[in-house]
Amino acid sequence: MSAGPAVDPRGPRFAAILTTIVLAVVLVTQWWPLLAIQTVVFAIGAFVGLKPAPYSIVYRTLVAPRLGPTDEREDAAPLRFAQAVGFVFALVGTVGFAVGITPLGIVATAFALFAAFLNAAFDFCLGCEMFLLIKRFSPARASS
């Protein structure tokens, strides 16, 4: 019972590695235009889809061919939700930095970095787990 198309789970982990690097650079430099770019990357993954997301394209064209095929698949819905959560934190961080509320930018970016790092280092998708908890505890929808 899938809520979305299935994806190669190595792709989202690769994206989390790139995201971790980008967000770490943002925290060190506080260069909000880079965070704005990451915000767009999150938006594409969350609201357009994982396939056209920039890090997915890099993974499919440069990394996946070197790894070879896999039969392992992961539902895209939790991943897209995680991208939406990342989008919110990155957007808040971008606005914080851009308008001069640097502590807000730092905290929001740090939260996004923490989640991305968990996925990159430990293969633990915090946003995905949030999605599953919300789904588990939300009232059942009436069937048609």
Side-chain angles (χ1 to χ4, degrees), residues 31-42 55 94:
W31 191 49
W32 69 264
L34 181 58
L35 185 56
I37 293 167
Q38 180 61 53
T39 303
V40 171
V41 170
F42 280 137
Y55 298 159
T94 299

Side-chain angles (χ1 to χ4, degrees), residues 121-141:
F122 303 108
D123 199 19
F124 182 80
C125 177
L126 189 58
C128 300
E129 295 301 320
M130 288 172 50
F131 175 87
L132 296 173
L133 280 173
I134 291 167
K135 190 172 180 179
R136 177 179 292 154
F137 292 110
S138 63
R141 294 184 185 143

Side-chain angles (χ1 to χ4, degrees), residues 1-21:
M1 182 161 151
S2 177
V7 298
D8 177 347
R10 300 171 299 180
R13 190 157 188 199
F14 172 78
I17 292 167
L18 293 181
T19 301
T20 297
I21 294 166

Side-chain angles (χ1 to χ4, degrees), residues 6-10 68-74:
V7 298
D8 177 347
R10 300 171 299 180
T70 181
D71 291 335
E72 192 176 347
R73 291 288 179 249
E74 195 169 78

Side-chain angles (χ1 to χ4, degrees), residues 50-65:
L50 297 175
K51 190 171 185 175
Y55 298 159
S56 295
I57 294 169
V58 172
Y59 174 77
R60 280 194 321 276
T61 58
L62 300 178
V63 178

Side-chain angles (χ1 to χ4, degrees), residues 52-111:
Y55 298 159
S56 295
I57 294 169
V58 172
Y59 174 77
R60 280 194 321 276
T61 58
L62 300 178
V63 178
R66 288 168 176 76
L67 297 177
T70 181
D71 291 335
E72 192 176 347
R73 291 288 179 249
E74 195 169 78
D75 186 15
L79 298 167
R80 288 186 68 178
F81 179 82
Q83 292 288 294
V85 172
F87 167 76
V88 170
F89 280 103
L91 181 62
V92 170
T94 299
V95 171
F97 282 126
V99 302
I101 308 173
T102 304
L104 177 62
I106 290 170
V107 169
T109 304
F111 275 118

